[in-house]
Amino acid sequence: MHRRSFVRLLAGTPFLRDFQLRSDIPALRVVSGYPASAKPGMPGPYPGRVVSIRSDTCVDTSTGAANDEVVREMMARGMRTLTGAGTTADAWRRFFEPSDIVGIKVNCGGYPHCVSAYEIVADVVRQLMGIGVPVSHIYVYERFQDQMNEVNYAPHLPEGVQIVAAERANRNVDNSGYDPATYLEADFFGEDDTRSNMMRLVSRVLTKIVNIPNMKDHGATGVTGCLKNIAYGSFSNVARTHQRGKSHTYSVVGALAAMEPLRSRTVLQIMDGLRGVWHGGPFARTTRYVFYPRQIMFGTDPVAIDRLLLDIIEKERRARGAISIWDRSPGSLRMDDTRARDADPNVNIIIREPGHVEYASTLGLGVYDRARIVIKDVDVP
């Protein structure tokens, strides 16, 4: 059992949360002045509930192009099925109101072959505007401006949508986009900068967040799903957690996702499975490791969705004859050798930590037990 001790300081000062973890994991210190919501967005109103919308026609697998009309129908069916609402607009009203300032957390790291789909992002914007959220109150965000420039969502979205990144590139040289008062502190490998700060946009501007990850493998965490996309995509200086063959992502992914106000404001998870990556993730520099699940998953529980993602990636890797995401064999490890990893799906560059999903459940972020996850499957022509 993981033990957590909570230390609350004097009123008006930040609170610190100290995690007592596995003996092989460094202590983590969380500093935030934001109290938890009475009903935090994660796991939200539908813990352990996942809606999976599938369509054989949503993507042309010969070209990788998505069918916008089919994707819109998948989105509408997914939201209505998740909420039980009679109309798509009413489904969105369960989560958002016109006064909200809404962030859409995309994933751009898999450019050019697997990023948060233009069609899905555009439909989220369309639905938010349809229930009265002003276009100027909608932010599409990611950590790195260079990745956002490559993906270039602007031509696919209405004029006035804010497109924001925290820093120019993954160089850890510009902290102006991060909140100095909201951070996780830990020393993993003796690094000089031991803090990971939350984006200012998340802590000081947004009131609600929609999380749109992809179905991707990851060399340090096993998968890049809801938890990692919202956690590592909203904080600075996180790549320091995995290097030299060792990954501290087991505890850090969940710890970041559980930080306030990120936890309370992330109210909707839309897992983009139009395309996926079964090896070499979180990147997708080649089509060799791209596959097509042709589905979108909806929920408020990031753990439940990621629990299903573990099985999806594992199944695809087994079908391709690749080692398991759970493989911890020293014989599979070529430490930090990305070329070897990219050339051979039976190579790990870091011992992966897919157990980060289960650990996140111990922080109250969702349901991990497969027997307690209720899946509603819907097929769209």
Side-chain angles (χ1 to χ4, degrees), residues 2 7 27 48 59 68 72 85 88-89 117 129 134 176 190-191 208-209 228 244 253 269 295 303 312 331-332 364:
H2 300 281
V7 180
V59 176
D68 183 61
R72 288 193 194 193
T88 302
M129 293 176 63
S176 61
E191 60 270 21
K208 302 281 180 62
I209 298 172
K228 186 172 182 298
R244 307 174 197 170
V253 172
Q269 314 284 337
Q295 64 175 297
V303 174
I312 290 169
S332 303

Side-chain angles (χ1 to χ4, degrees), residues 281-330:
F283 308 108
R285 299 187 179 101
T286 171
T287 58
R288 177 182 176 186
Y289 301 124
V290 173
F291 73 115
Y292 296 95
R294 289 180 287 189
Q295 64 175 297
I296 307 174
M297 293 196 293
F298 300 79
T300 60
D301 181 337
V303 174
I305 295 177
D306 282 2
R307 174 64 184 85
L308 302 182
L309 177 62
L310 290 172
D311 290 346
I312 290 169
I313 298 299
E314 181 73 354
K315 179 180 178 181
E316 190 67 23
R317 289 182 64 86
R318 287 184 177 181
R320 308 278 186 159
I323 58 173
S324 170
I325 57 174
W326 299 91
D327 181 273
R328 304 182 73 85
S329 168

